[in-house]
Amino acid sequence: MILLLAVACGLVAGMLRARLQQRPYRIAQLEAIELVVLGVVPQLVAFHIPGTAARFPEALVPPLLLISQLLLLAFVWLNRRRPGFWLLGSGVLCNLLVIALNGGWMPIAPQTVAQIALAPQQWQAGERFGLSKDRVMPAEEIRLAFLSDHLVLPWWRVAFSPGDVLLAAGVFYLLWAHGGAQEDIKEV
Amino acid sequence: MKTLFREASLFVSKVNRQHIQLFLLVLTLSLFLLGAGAPAAEGGTGGMTGG
């Protein structure tokens, strides 16, 4: 949800920019949108739809996650000349890297869980965190821990990764750029 | 019913290509973020992860 705020803020910022500069808000068409659908629909089934997420075999989560991340990376590559996509690509890569090096799960340390869960004592190392793509792992066992879900907002029970920060920055910049001159958004 | 239909027709007539493109762009980006790093991790008694 926190990343979707970046979409809202970017859109508002872009439209405001267009209004202030007395330009229309221009929208470039993205390439290969079907890769996003192919990459995300399985994740919706595995993580977001309660009826299917609860039944989804955990053993299938790592390959599903890795394949979907690769599809999203392909989408980024095909749109790499659009503004913001290098940031988006960096974000996907960071998350993909830490997931790939930690058994196909996004690792989250017990110390981080303690900051965001209402009942942190119920989460043990080795357990999946709810129905998410996260697995609780001892901090000392997490590879590339600095890329894992360890960033926390004190006023919101959310843990996110540096990759997520890059994703938010990328989508904000993309939507903001569409409020600028045509040169800002055309292919270079 | 007739009024409702007329209002719906008026609304649809105001939706132009740019609106549809913008909707598709926002939808695509939202789905992308959902897949790349924005799951809602229900930790049983609370807690969410961003990616």
Side-chain angles (χ1 to χ4, degrees):
Chain A
M1 286 300 129
I2 192 172
L3 290 184
L4 299 182
L5 278 180
V7 175
C9 293
L11 198 56
V12 168
M15 287 185 162
L16 201 59
R17 183 186 183 199
R19 174 70 69 92
L20 289 173
Q21 296 179 359
Q22 295 180 321
R23 289 195 183 102
Y25 187 75
R26 299 181 187 275
I27 304 163
Q29 285 192 324
L30 301 180
E31 305 287 336
I33 295 175
E34 60 273 13
L35 290 178
V36 176
V37 176
L38 277 173
V40 174
V41 166
Q43 286 200 40
L44 292 177
V45 171
F47 306 127
H48 298 285
I49 302 172
T52 55
R55 295 184 180 88
F56 195 85
E58 276 199 12
L60 294 180
V61 168
L64 179 147
L65 205 47
L66 290 170
I67 291 170
S68 73
Q69 297 289 308
L70 287 171
L71 286 170
L72 294 177
L73 206 55
F75 167 74
V76 168
W77 178 255
L78 291 171
N79 289 278
R80 63 190 183 279
R81 292 189 174 89
R82 309 279 182 195
F85 266 86
W86 281 104
L87 281 169
L88 289 174
S90 301
V92 174
L93 265 176
C94 286
N95 284 345
L96 175 59
L97 203 56
V98 71
I99 287 170
L101 290 175
N102 289 280
W105 295 87
M106 173 60 82
I108 183 168
Q111 297 88 330
T112 306
V113 172
Q115 294 180 71
I116 65 170
L118 291 176
Q121 64 277 3
Q122 87 174 78
W123 303 107
Q124 304 297 323
E127 282 185 333
R128 182 180 180 184
F129 190 55
L131 296 175
S132 71
K133 60 179 83 160
D134 287 62
R135 186 176 284 278
V136 182
M137 293 175 65
E140 62 275 11
E141 290 180 20
I142 297 175
R143 295 189 176 108
L144 295 183
F146 65 96
L147 290 181
S148 69
D149 275 351
H150 70 280
L151 302 171
V152 177
L153 292 172
W155 59 85
W156 198 350
R157 293 183 179 274
V158 175
F160 54 99
S161 66
D164 295 336
V165 176
L166 290 171
L167 288 168
V171 78
F172 180 91
Y173 182 74
L174 170 67
L175 291 168
W176 178 83
H178 281 97
Q182 183 67 26
E183 290 73 28
D184 288 348
I185 60 172
K186 72 177 183 185
E187 292 186 40
V188 294
Chain B
M1 191 67 181
K2 269 176 77 174
T3 310
L4 189 65
F5 182 75
R6 191 176 66 206
E7 285 176 7
S9 301
L10 276 171
F11 174 77
V12 169
S13 68
K14 287 178 186 166
V15 175
N16 60 26
R17 189 165 170 258
Q18 192 181 33
H19 293 145
I20 295 170
Q21 281 184 325
L22 182 60
F23 172 76
L24 282 176
L25 177 66
V26 170
L27 181 65
T28 302
L29 291 176
S30 300
L31 282 177
F32 176 85
L33 290 177
L34 200 62
E42 290 301 326
T45 52
M48 289 166 52
T49 61

